[in-house]
């Protein structure tokens, strides 16, 4: 898209309003100008909005202010994304694959050929049947992960799963990237995943909390977007936090957006040492006698089994504040002060998800829960802990009503293999080998066929180069996608899907407030030859004689009406689907009682009748079940395990002296919107920024605004330097989600020999540098924040072509 078009989209309706109100247009002309513009309601992960459409073109996006209290700039980028030059316009097939030569080694390097929809669907069906003949349905891998592509009912991953289940199933994903470690451990510790649970209401925090500890949580940044449709009302609550005089402490290697907003005290912890800090605090609380002994005895199990470790009687190393100081680089005096203020004041610990995306990440939430138990404030108004305050308006009071659900994946899956989310490369590379997972053993099958819909594994998977090498070993890779994402460029067959704006759908608002239902109306007609995911998978199911079973003979509109019937709007309020569709949004009232909700209050009041769903009905400081697994790197209680890569590894630091963290993006959801103008707000010379402290910038001889190469043994990338005082020395940060772009798509076979790891990413995709090392034998989750790197000046660089489509013959 040219710059003039981008600029027009940015100003859009604002310019229209100026023209209409100026003296350059007569009133009649202004009215005619406005009458040609339709205002269509829809919704996105970034908030509810109206699309202003003229002559089937989106001329502006404005927020639905009744539903979005504090709109973000990101919603403005949706129009740009819809008409982006990076759209997949036609069904295409990689040239060698179409010629029957295979040549998986050329994936990502050679041109595609435009084909008809019939040809493309026939080829996909043929590839599936070929894989089934070789290894049954265990030879099929459904890599369609999560539901972030659309906030509505027709999520591509659900439709992909529904299709595969019609034909007997496929290998699928268990767990997730967001909470791959904590999600497998927390239910056994405290009876619930916690990371997605309803949080203590904002009103209770405002009224009762004296100290809030942001332990790695960045409420302001990560609440800018959500899994469903964000209302951004949490930002109003944060203003009340400030007025209430809550003391905020941020324990984080970065002085985050939230720390700045709250003017928080900054504890500049060394990455990967949080568990050590908590153990030091726990040791002090116990030795000083300040911990809540009554709470421990009444509400927890196994403290006596944990205590010998804490006191060093198990391993000869007492976990004192002085011991923790050496690991965390936080003075022992400060560690004691932290414990003292948290035990003496009503304290709420807001945990995060990033810390558990690290080596031995299973220990982090468990440590926070154990520490909070010693503080004794769990279940008290404004006290205890929460792991979801930074996610989708955590703390919003809940309506208690049903919004709308989504398409189910249905039954029929006969494949019992589900691999941990971050084990994608291992699945392909290690057929016949086994992996431990939650006390069980999984054997990897021989996968031949992979399909990805509505997501980009070359982006969210760790160790991008390892994944690329693995994908080149497969017989067939199919991608269903509206844009030429890095994963689409690595496919054999690419099927163009419509965007959210080119289809009808419905969505509910907020995982926690559940207070609205949105009509997501088709805004413009499908571009080029794109089709809805629903139609695409119905066509595929037809090739196996399962089309009617997949669709149940229903149109999209009939499905939407059916899903709507289950909502409280229909069942309790009696609003018909037709009325809802005309209104565009339905709002539920929030009962006053919901503002009084306190997490774990019922358990605290009556731990017998409101027992937790754990082994003992109590908080498990020790788990006999976990101890029985016999894992070397995961035991029956919280422990400090030294990470494989961290600043405490003196030998490795000599080679790679900087710890790299990869926070969530400020102007994206993962990789979404990276191909839009809004990225210009923060990109540096078209690359993802790398934040570095002034001392480190001077040490490495780099300056603000320069392009540098960031590298380790796994790969290298280009990033733009941002020198800032908001990151501690020894740490650099690159936000995740930039689109991967090899500096020379053919370099893997020519200049660099045949070594994918020497192909430099020109765009700044941080997972080029991250490791596929698992958290432990327990959860096998991602360790994306356990990374050491070095940097150097980049020298001469070529243009970043991450957002350009590949060469297509016949287009």
């Amino acid at each position: 898209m040219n710059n003039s078009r981008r600029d027009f989209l940015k100003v859009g309706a604002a310019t229209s309003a100026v023209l209409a109100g100026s003296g350059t247009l007569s009133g009649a002309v202004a009215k005619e100008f406005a009458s040609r513009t339709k205002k269509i309601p829809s919704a996105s992960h970034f908030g509810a909005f109206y699309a202003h459409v003229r002559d089937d073109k989106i001329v502006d996006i404005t927020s639905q202010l009744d539903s979005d209290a504090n709109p973000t700039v990101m919603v403005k980028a949706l129009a740009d994304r819809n008409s982006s030059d990076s759209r997949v316009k036609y069904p295409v097939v990689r040239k060698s694959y179409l010629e029957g030569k295979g040549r998986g080694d050329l994936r990502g390097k050679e041109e595609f050929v435009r084909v008809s929809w019939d040809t493309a669907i026939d080829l996909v069906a043929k590839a599936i049947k070929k894989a089934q003949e070789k290894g049954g349905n265990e030879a099929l891998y459904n890599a369609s992960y999560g539901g972030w592509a659309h906030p509505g009912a027709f999520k591509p991953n659900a439709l992909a799963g529904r299709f595969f289940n019609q034909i007997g199933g496929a290998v699928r994903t268990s767990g997730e990237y967001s909470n791959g470690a904590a999600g497998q451990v927390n239910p056994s510790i405290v009876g619930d995943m916690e990371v997605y649970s309803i949080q203590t209401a904002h009103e209770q925090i405002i009224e009762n909390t004296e100290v809030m500890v942001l332990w790695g949580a960045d409420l302001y940044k990560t609440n800018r977007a959500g899994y469903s449709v964000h209302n951004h009302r949490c930002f109003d609550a944060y203003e009340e936090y400030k007025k209430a005089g809550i003391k905020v402490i941020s324990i984080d290697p970065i002085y985050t957006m939230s720390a700045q907003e709250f003017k928080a005290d900054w504890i500049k912890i060394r990455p990967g040492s949080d568990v050590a800090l908590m153990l030091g605090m726990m040791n002090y609380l116990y030795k000083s006698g300040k911990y809540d002994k009554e709470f421990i005895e009444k509400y927890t199990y196994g403290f006596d089994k944990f205590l010998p470790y804490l006191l060093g009687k198990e391993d000869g190393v007492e976990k004192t504040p002085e011991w923790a100081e050496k690991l965390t680089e936080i003075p022992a005096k400060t560690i004691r002060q932290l414990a003292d203020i948290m035990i003496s004041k009503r304290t709420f610990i807001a945990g995060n998800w990033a810390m558990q995306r690290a080596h031995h990440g299973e220990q982090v939430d468990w440590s926070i829960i154990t520490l909070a138990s010693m503080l004794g404030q769990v279940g008290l108004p404004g006290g205890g802990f929460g792991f979801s305050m930074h996610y989708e308006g955590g703390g919003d009071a809940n309506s208690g009503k049903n919004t709308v659900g989504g398409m189910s994946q249905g039954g029929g899956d006969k494949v019992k293999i589900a691999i941990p989310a971050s084990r994608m490369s291992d699945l392909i590379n290690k057929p016949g080998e086994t992996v431990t997972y939650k006390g069980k053993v999984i054997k990897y099958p021989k996968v031949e066929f992979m399909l990805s819909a509505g997501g980009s594994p070359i982006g969210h998977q760790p160790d991008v180069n390892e994944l690329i090498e693995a994908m080149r070993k497969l017989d067939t890779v199919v991608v269903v996608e509206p844009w030429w994402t890095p994963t689409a460029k690595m496919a054999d067959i690419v099927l163009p899907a419509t965007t959210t704006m080119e289809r009808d759908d419905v969505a509910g608002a907020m995982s926690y407030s559940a207070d609205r239902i949105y009509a997501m109306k088709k805004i413009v007609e499908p571009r080029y030859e794109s089709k809805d995911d629903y139609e695409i998978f119905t066509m595929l199911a037809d090739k196996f004689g399962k089309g009617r079973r997949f669709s149940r003979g229903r149109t999209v509109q009939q499905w939407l009406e059916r899903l709507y019937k289950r909502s409280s709007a229909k069942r309790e309020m009696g609003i018909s689907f037709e009325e809802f569709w005309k209104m565009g949004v339905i709002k539920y009232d929030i009962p006053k009682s919901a503002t009084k909700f306190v997490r774990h209050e019922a358990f605290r009041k009556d731990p017998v009748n409101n027992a937790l769903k754990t082994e003992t009905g109590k908080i498990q400081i020790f788990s006999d079940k976990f101890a029985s697994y016999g894992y070397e790197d995961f035991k029956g209680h919280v422990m400090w395990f030294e990470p494989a890569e961290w600043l405490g590894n003196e030998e490795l630091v000599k080679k790679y002296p900087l710890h790299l963290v990869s926070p969530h993006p400020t102007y994206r959801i993962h990789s979404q919107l990276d191909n839009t103008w809004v990225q210009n707000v923060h990109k540096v010379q078209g690359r993802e920024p790398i934040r570095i402290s002034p001392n480190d910038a001077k040490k490495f001889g780099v300056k603000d605004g320069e392009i540098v190469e960031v590298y380790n043994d796994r790969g290298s990338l280009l990033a733009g330097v941002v020198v800032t005082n908001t990151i501690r020395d020894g740490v650099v940060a690159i936000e995740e989600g930039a689109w991967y772009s090899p500096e020379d798509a053919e370099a893997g076979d020519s200049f660099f020999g045949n070594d994918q790891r020497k192909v430099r990413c020109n765009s700044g995709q941080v997972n080029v540098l991250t490791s596929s090392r698992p958290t432990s034998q327990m959860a096998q989750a991602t360790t994306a924040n356990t990374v050491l790197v070095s940097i150097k000046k980049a020298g001469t660089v070529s243009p970043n072509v991450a957002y350009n489509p590949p060469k297509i013959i016949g287009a």
Side-chain angles (χ1 to χ4, degrees), residues 20 24 84 130 233 290 300 322 384 427 436 625 649 756 794:
T24 60
S84 167
K130 178 182 176 183
R233 285 204 306 275
K290 295 180 179 180
T300 74
E322 286 73 20
L427 169 68
T436 59
K625 180 180 73 173
N649 187 329
Q756 176 63 32

Side-chain angles (χ1 to χ4, degrees), residues 184-203:
Q184 312 312 315
V185 174
N186 290 359
S188 295
I189 298 167
V190 73
D192 192 277
M193 280 185 75
E194 290 299 324
V195 291
Y196 298 121
S197 301
I198 297 285
Q199 303 288 283
T200 292
H202 291 302
E203 290 80 0

Side-chain angles (χ1 to χ4, degrees), residues 312-612:
K313 296 178 180 178
E314 273 187 13
D315 57 4
V317 179
E318 186 173 359
K319 313 309 178 293
T320 64
E322 286 73 20
W323 166 84
E325 176 180 352
K326 295 176 183 177
L327 300 170
T328 64
E329 296 186 335
I330 298 170
K333 179 182 178 181
T334 302
I335 295 173
R336 292 187 178 91
Q337 289 173 339
L338 277 172
D340 279 336
I341 192 171
M342 291 168 70
I343 194 71
S344 63
K345 304 286 187 181
R346 184 62 60 85
T347 299
F348 185 91
I349 303 174
N352 78 341
W353 301 350
M355 290 189 297
Q356 57 89 57
R357 289 193 286 265
H359 203 195
H360 309 295
E362 294 90 348
Q363 305 299 319
V364 179
D365 283 18
W366 201 353
S367 296
I368 288 176
I369 294 167
T370 304
L371 173 61
S373 296
M374 292 185 72
L375 296 174
Q377 299 181 30
V378 177
L380 294 179
F385 60 86
F387 295 111
S388 199
M389 294 301 290
H390 63 288
Y391 170 70
E392 192 145 308
D396 283 359
N398 185 264
S399 72
K401 298 186 181 297
N402 295 326
T403 56
V404 287
M407 291 288 289
S408 78
Q409 298 193 27
D413 185 6
K414 298 177 182 177
V415 177
K416 303 305 177 185
I417 300 172
I419 64 162
S422 68
R423 300 300 96 203
M424 184 182 291
S425 295
D426 284 355
L427 169 68
I428 300 169
N429 285 329
K430 301 176 180 179
E433 294 189 24
T434 59
V435 60
T436 59
Y437 182 54
K438 296 195 294 185
K440 299 179 180 179
V441 176
I442 298 171
K443 184 177 181 179
Y444 294 128
K446 178 71 168 67
V447 170
E448 304 282 349
F449 174 96
M450 169 180 163
L451 183 143
S452 175
S456 187
I458 300 177
H460 60 245
Q461 268 287 324
D463 199 337
V464 163
N465 289 320
E466 180 183 62
L467 178 61
I468 289 173
E469 290 175 334
M471 288 176 66
R472 285 175 174 154
K473 298 176 183 178
L474 293 168
D475 183 77
T476 302
V477 176
V478 176
V479 169
V480 182
E481 181 65 55
W483 300 281
W484 278 109
T485 65
T487 303
K489 291 177 181 177
M490 275 292 297
D492 298 308
I493 305 169
V494 184
L495 306 179
T498 56
T499 70
T500 302
M501 293 185 168
E502 297 166 352
R503 59 176 75 176
D504 287 328
D505 210 330
V506 294
M510 306 298 291
S511 299
Y512 300 118
S513 63
D515 65 340
R516 281 172 173 76
I517 302 175
Y518 296 103
M520 299 173 62
K521 297 186 179 183
K522 181 193 287 187
I523 293 165
V524 291
E525 291 301 313
R527 295 287 192 251
Y528 313 109
E529 293 183 9
S530 58
K531 296 180 182 292
D532 291 359
D533 296 274
Y534 180 68
E535 182 180 358
I536 292 170
F537 284 109
T538 301
M539 292 169 67
L540 270 174
D542 269 333
K543 295 296 179 180
F544 294 82
K546 305 290 185 180
R548 184 166 182 82
R549 184 176 170 185
F550 174 87
S551 68
R552 297 294 191 265
R554 299 186 185 110
T555 64
V556 167
Q557 198 72 6
Q558 288 171 332
W559 273 113
L560 295 181
E561 291 180 28
R562 183 179 178 86
L563 293 168
Y564 175 79
K565 285 179 182 178
R566 303 170 188 171
S567 72
S568 296
K570 173 63 177 174
R571 290 184 173 181
E572 299 173 26
M573 300 167 70
I575 301 173
S576 69
F577 180 82
E578 290 74 21
E579 290 176 283
F580 154 63
W581 198 252
K582 184 177 180 180
M583 292 188 301
V585 61
I586 293 174
K587 178 184 177 182
Y588 296 149
D589 291 330
I590 304 290
K592 188 70 175 177
S593 58
T595 66
K596 300 182 183 300
F597 179 77
V598 175
R599 186 84 186 134
H600 299 116
E601 183 179 51
F603 168 64
R604 187 180 185 106
K605 288 181 176 178
D606 188 345
V608 176
N609 290 316
N610 297 310
L612 302 177

